[in-house]
Amino acid sequence: MASLGPAVTGEQVPGAEAEPGAAGPPPPSTSSLGPLLPLKREPLYNWQATKASLKERFAFLFNSELLSDVRFVLGKGRGGGGGAAGGPQRIPAHRFVLAAGSAVFDAMFNGGMATTSAEIELPDVEPAAFLALLRFLYSDEVQIGPETVMTTLYTAKKYAVPALEAHCVEFLTKHLRADNAFMLLTQSPQLYLPSGNHEFSKSFCESLCVLKDPQNVTLLGDRVFTEARLFDEPQLASLCLDTIDKNTMDAISAEGFTDIDIDTLCAVLERDTLSIRECRLFGAVVRWAEAECQRQQLPMTFGNKQKVLGKALALIRFPLMTIEEFAAGPAQSGILSDREVVNLFLHFTVNPKPRVEYIDRPRCCLRGKECCINRFQQVESRWGYSGTSDRIRFTVNRRISIVGFGLYGSIHGPTDYQVNIQIIEYEKKQTLGQNDTGFSCDGTANTFRVMFKEPIEILPNLCYMACATLKGPDSHYGTKGLKKVVHETPTASKTVFFFFSSPGNNNGTSIEDGQIPEIIFYT
């Protein structure tokens, strides 16, 4: 797992570390916190004179008994997890500094129900995160890392310190990836309960950084899924979803996907912007259902998988699959009823298509500008059709998504054509996408767009076959074909297509002449 770099550390404040003989020890390392019991020492005489600014003087008081008038007791609810001795940790502080930096602390110390206690217990706050909060309030210094960012965000929100919240969100945004987007989307620290299961939070930390010792991962809290995603951070939640949209296959393959709750699963399945074939998305949903059965301690039966999926099953867009994909996966999964399987098979095979209960709206996952290449340099007349497919093989040098073809139309004036278009992975003889549709032409030598139901992913250096079976009158056709076509844009690298004639009966289409002049795609 690739490291994401070091923790974010603010500029060291001069004088922030205690000087020899000064009251209060230097701030402890947040990676190995023991019980914080600073020794009471005589104050260093005239220490104030050594600090040139207010910021330096406040920083000197951070985590120091010097002039402190309150202590916070943390870690009592950790069930033996905590510091070196496993007991509570006591952190000294100064009421005035905290009240000046946080409305919550101001109310705690100066409000109508202000506490007068010298020790205040905070059972739901992680010590490293609380120290990060205090360090920020005393010195404006930011110290957050992969192990502490979520608990620091929680603590900053709890005590209403929006500037520190912003630093945490910025850190998370920089380190957001497809393989941690789902975990981040549903992560939320909670009370340190003795019976807590911290594995989910632990895996999130490990996804953010490489740890020399997994035992050093700060346990963030129980795995909980809240309606207010990301502590009410809509911008960060939006970035998570955008990352999932752009890298859907990587995101659903990550460990965190099977740990999400049903509401998050439904929110993702409802999106029109996922970049994945529906059959692969269905496979991921089945994995989630199996994990959910285990969580609920249910036998791994077809009925229980259907039960735990509930409303999520209706959000899978089965009509977007090819009949081969449906037959190989969902039809044999046992999750759909026999009636649903039959209705969907009828939807794939007959016209007019019967109504099905599942969404057939394509997932419009593509961004950027539509691209198109034309492999012919000249147009001629009279290309006939007798039920045989026009076919041409091709490879491409980079990953693209094909959305349709440009086809030639009639030489006899305005006409309607019926057409079936397909893309087949040549070596596997696997149909990746097809559409039974039609188009109208105006009798000119222009090309006319015929689109697939959903984008078809094309991988670099694999051989594919573009097919079009037209039913209609004689049409124009292309000549002086090119074996290599290069598409360039100012902002993207070159997209290079190589064309090859398709063996067998292909209605005469070849590299040199024929149909399927244009491929419409996104990069």
PDB file of all heavy atoms in Angstrom, residues 444-459:
ATOM      1  N   THR A 444     -27.994  12.696 -47.797  1.00  0.00           N
ATOM      2  CA  THR A 444     -26.667  13.263 -48.068  1.00  0.00           C
ATOM      3  C   THR A 444     -25.581  12.225 -47.772  1.00  0.00           C
ATOM      4  O   THR A 444     -25.850  11.149 -47.237  1.00  0.00           O
ATOM      5  CB  THR A 444     -26.418  14.502 -47.212  1.00  0.00           C
ATOM      6  OG1 THR A 444     -26.330  14.108 -45.834  1.00  0.00           O
ATOM      7  CG2 THR A 444     -27.551  15.508 -47.374  1.00  0.00           C
ATOM      8  N   ALA A 445     -24.344  12.596 -48.058  1.00  0.00           N
ATOM      9  CA  ALA A 445     -23.201  11.715 -47.785  1.00  0.00           C
ATOM     10  C   ALA A 445     -22.670  11.879 -46.368  1.00  0.00           C
ATOM     11  O   ALA A 445     -21.618  11.336 -46.026  1.00  0.00           O
ATOM     12  CB  ALA A 445     -22.084  11.992 -48.793  1.00  0.00           C
ATOM     13  N   ASN A 446     -23.389  12.603 -45.533  1.00  0.00           N
ATOM     14  CA  ASN A 446     -22.977  12.766 -44.143  1.00  0.00           C
ATOM     15  C   ASN A 446     -23.103  11.443 -43.390  1.00  0.00           C
ATOM     16  O   ASN A 446     -23.773  10.511 -43.839  1.00  0.00           O
ATOM     17  CB  ASN A 446     -23.839  13.822 -43.443  1.00  0.00           C
ATOM     18  CG  ASN A 446     -23.637  15.193 -44.037  1.00  0.00           C
ATOM     19  OD1 ASN A 446     -22.553  15.520 -44.508  1.00  0.00           O
ATOM     20  ND2 ASN A 446     -24.703  16.004 -44.033  1.00  0.00           N
ATOM     21  N   THR A 447     -22.488  11.403 -42.192  1.00  0.00           N
ATOM     22  CA  THR A 447     -22.689  10.259 -41.298  1.00  0.00           C
ATOM     23  C   THR A 447     -23.807  10.591 -40.320  1.00  0.00           C
ATOM     24  O   THR A 447     -24.086  11.760 -40.041  1.00  0.00           O
ATOM     25  CB  THR A 447     -21.400   9.926 -40.523  1.00  0.00           C
ATOM     26  OG1 THR A 447     -20.991  11.094 -39.799  1.00  0.00           O
ATOM     27  CG2 THR A 447     -20.293   9.496 -41.468  1.00  0.00           C
ATOM     28  N   PHE A 448     -24.414   9.520 -39.753  1.00  0.00           N
ATOM     29  CA  PHE A 448     -25.542   9.681 -38.830  1.00  0.00           C
ATOM     30  C   PHE A 448     -25.263   8.878 -37.565  1.00  0.00           C
ATOM     31  O   PHE A 448     -24.846   7.721 -37.626  1.00  0.00           O
ATOM     32  CB  PHE A 448     -26.839   9.246 -39.511  1.00  0.00           C
ATOM     33  CG  PHE A 448     -27.122  10.048 -40.753  1.00  0.00           C
ATOM     34  CD1 PHE A 448     -26.667   9.614 -41.996  1.00  0.00           C
ATOM     35  CD2 PHE A 448     -27.793  11.256 -40.676  1.00  0.00           C
ATOM     36  CE1 PHE A 448     -26.892  10.357 -43.140  1.00  0.00           C
ATOM     37  CE2 PHE A 448     -28.023  12.016 -41.814  1.00  0.00           C
ATOM     38  CZ  PHE A 448     -27.567  11.573 -43.049  1.00  0.00           C
ATOM     39  N   ARG A 449     -25.504   9.531 -36.433  1.00  0.00           N
ATOM     40  CA  ARG A 449     -25.128   8.956 -35.135  1.00  0.00           C
ATOM     41  C   ARG A 449     -26.055   7.818 -34.744  1.00  0.00           C
ATOM     42  O   ARG A 449     -27.276   7.953 -34.802  1.00  0.00           O
ATOM     43  CB  ARG A 449     -25.160  10.038 -34.057  1.00  0.00           C
ATOM     44  CG  ARG A 449     -24.116  11.116 -34.239  1.00  0.00           C
ATOM     45  CD  ARG A 449     -24.450  12.358 -33.460  1.00  0.00           C
ATOM     46  NE  ARG A 449     -24.520  12.123 -32.021  1.00  0.00           N
ATOM     47  CZ  ARG A 449     -23.515  12.288 -31.185  1.00  0.00           C
ATOM     48  NH1 ARG A 449     -22.329  12.693 -31.646  1.00  0.00           N
ATOM     49  NH2 ARG A 449     -23.652  12.073 -29.904  1.00  0.00           N
ATOM     50  N   VAL A 450     -25.454   6.721 -34.269  1.00  0.00           N
ATOM     51  CA  VAL A 450     -26.196   5.593 -33.697  1.00  0.00           C
ATOM     52  C   VAL A 450     -25.495   5.258 -32.384  1.00  0.00           C
ATOM     53  O   VAL A 450     -24.302   4.928 -32.380  1.00  0.00           O
ATOM     54  CB  VAL A 450     -26.208   4.377 -34.635  1.00  0.00           C
ATOM     55  CG1 VAL A 450     -27.026   3.251 -34.015  1.00  0.00           C
ATOM     56  CG2 VAL A 450     -26.753   4.754 -36.004  1.00  0.00           C
ATOM     57  N   MET A 451     -26.218   5.353 -31.267  1.00  0.00           N
ATOM     58  CA  MET A 451     -25.587   5.304 -29.953  1.00  0.00           C
ATOM     59  C   MET A 451     -25.902   4.018 -29.203  1.00  0.00           C
ATOM     60  O   MET A 451     -26.963   3.405 -29.370  1.00  0.00           O
ATOM     61  CB  MET A 451     -26.039   6.499 -29.109  1.00  0.00           C
ATOM     62  CG  MET A 451     -25.914   7.844 -29.827  1.00  0.00           C
ATOM     63  SD  MET A 451     -24.236   8.215 -30.418  1.00  0.00           S
ATOM     64  CE  MET A 451     -23.477   8.671 -28.853  1.00  0.00           C
ATOM     65  N   PHE A 452     -24.985   3.608 -28.327  1.00  0.00           N
ATOM     66  CA  PHE A 452     -25.206   2.486 -27.418  1.00  0.00           C
ATOM     67  C   PHE A 452     -26.033   2.951 -26.215  1.00  0.00           C
ATOM     68  O   PHE A 452     -26.139   4.150 -25.939  1.00  0.00           O
ATOM     69  CB  PHE A 452     -23.872   1.914 -26.937  1.00  0.00           C
ATOM     70  CG  PHE A 452     -23.106   1.185 -28.004  1.00  0.00           C
ATOM     71  CD1 PHE A 452     -22.074   1.810 -28.683  1.00  0.00           C
ATOM     72  CD2 PHE A 452     -23.441  -0.118 -28.344  1.00  0.00           C
ATOM     73  CE1 PHE A 452     -21.369   1.146 -29.668  1.00  0.00           C
ATOM     74  CE2 PHE A 452     -22.748  -0.790 -29.336  1.00  0.00           C
ATOM     75  CZ  PHE A 452     -21.715  -0.158 -30.003  1.00  0.00           C
ATOM     76  N   LYS A 453     -26.596   1.986 -25.491  1.00  0.00           N
ATOM     77  CA  LYS A 453     -27.383   2.327 -24.308  1.00  0.00           C
ATOM     78  C   LYS A 453     -26.504   2.918 -23.214  1.00  0.00           C
ATOM     79  O   LYS A 453     -26.948   3.758 -22.427  1.00  0.00           O
ATOM     80  CB  LYS A 453     -28.076   1.068 -23.759  1.00  0.00           C
ATOM     81  CG  LYS A 453     -29.176   0.514 -24.645  1.00  0.00           C
ATOM     82  CD  LYS A 453     -29.791  -0.699 -23.964  1.00  0.00           C
ATOM     83  CE  LYS A 453     -30.916  -1.293 -24.793  1.00  0.00           C
ATOM     84  NZ  LYS A 453     -31.501  -2.486 -24.139  1.00  0.00           N
ATOM     85  N   GLU A 454     -25.276   2.438 -23.129  1.00  0.00           N
ATOM     86  CA  GLU A 454     -24.353   2.933 -22.122  1.00  0.00           C
ATOM     87  C   GLU A 454     -22.948   2.876 -22.692  1.00  0.00           C
ATOM     88  O   GLU A 454     -22.686   2.135 -23.658  1.00  0.00           O
ATOM     89  CB  GLU A 454     -24.430   2.120 -20.832  1.00  0.00           C
ATOM     90  CG  GLU A 454     -24.039   0.669 -20.992  1.00  0.00           C
ATOM     91  CD  GLU A 454     -24.044  -0.071 -19.673  1.00  0.00           C
ATOM     92  OE1 GLU A 454     -24.215   0.543 -18.616  1.00  0.00           O
ATOM     93  OE2 GLU A 454     -23.859  -1.294 -19.723  1.00  0.00           O
ATOM     94  N   PRO A 455     -22.013   3.665 -22.138  1.00  0.00           N
ATOM     95  CA  PRO A 455     -20.640   3.647 -22.642  1.00  0.00           C
ATOM     96  C   PRO A 455     -20.018   2.259 -22.510  1.00  0.00           C
ATOM     97  O   PRO A 455     -20.306   1.515 -21.570  1.00  0.00           O
ATOM     98  CB  PRO A 455     -19.927   4.656 -21.732  1.00  0.00           C
ATOM     99  CG  PRO A 455     -21.009   5.525 -21.191  1.00  0.00           C
ATOM    100  CD  PRO A 455     -22.208   4.646 -21.051  1.00  0.00           C
ATOM    101  N   ILE A 456     -19.168   1.918 -23.444  1.00  0.00           N
ATOM    102  CA  ILE A 456     -18.488   0.630 -23.445  1.00  0.00           C
ATOM    103  C   ILE A 456     -17.004   0.875 -23.216  1.00  0.00           C
ATOM    104  O   ILE A 456     -16.345   1.592 -23.977  1.00  0.00           O
ATOM    105  CB  ILE A 456     -18.719  -0.116 -24.773  1.00  0.00           C
ATOM    106  CG1 ILE A 456     -20.218  -0.377 -24.960  1.00  0.00           C
ATOM    107  CG2 ILE A 456     -17.920  -1.416 -24.809  1.00  0.00           C
ATOM    108  CD1 ILE A 456     -20.574  -0.911 -26.324  1.00  0.00           C
ATOM    109  N   GLU A 457     -16.474   0.287 -22.159  1.00  0.00           N
ATOM    110  CA  GLU A 457     -15.074   0.480 -21.808  1.00  0.00           C
ATOM    111  C   GLU A 457     -14.182  -0.305 -22.765  1.00  0.00           C
ATOM    112  O   GLU A 457     -14.361  -1.502 -22.974  1.00  0.00           O
ATOM    113  CB  GLU A 457     -14.829   0.023 -20.369  1.00  0.00           C
ATOM    114  CG  GLU A 457     -13.407   0.207 -19.910  1.00  0.00           C
ATOM    115  CD  GLU A 457     -13.181  -0.337 -18.514  1.00  0.00           C
ATOM    116  OE1 GLU A 457     -13.524  -1.518 -18.267  1.00  0.00           O
ATOM    117  OE2 GLU A 457     -12.655   0.409 -17.678  1.00  0.00           O
ATOM    118  N   ILE A 458     -13.201   0.395 -23.345  1.00  0.00           N
ATOM    119  CA  ILE A 458     -12.238  -0.201 -24.260  1.00  0.00           C
ATOM    120  C   ILE A 458     -10.856  -0.060 -23.626  1.00  0.00           C
ATOM    121  O   ILE A 458     -10.428   1.047 -23.294  1.00  0.00           O
ATOM    122  CB  ILE A 458     -12.264   0.502 -25.635  1.00  0.00           C
ATOM    123  CG1 ILE A 458     -13.671   0.431 -26.253  1.00  0.00           C
ATOM    124  CG2 ILE A 458     -11.222  -0.092 -26.563  1.00  0.00           C
ATOM    125  CD1 ILE A 458     -14.164  -0.964 -26.557  1.00  0.00           C
ATOM    126  N   LEU A 459     -10.171  -1.176 -23.454  1.00  0.00           N
ATOM    127  CA  LEU A 459      -8.862  -1.173 -22.808  1.00  0.00           C
ATOM    128  C   LEU A 459      -7.756  -1.119 -23.855  1.00  0.00           C
ATOM    129  O   LEU A 459      -7.925  -1.581 -24.991  1.00  0.00           O
ATOM    130  CB  LEU A 459      -8.703  -2.423 -21.942  1.00  0.00           C
ATOM    131  CG  LEU A 459      -9.728  -2.570 -20.814  1.00  0.00           C
ATOM    132  CD1 LEU A 459      -9.504  -3.865 -20.047  1.00  0.00           C
ATOM    133  CD2 LEU A 459      -9.672  -1.379 -19.869  1.00  0.00           C
TER     134      LEU A 459
END
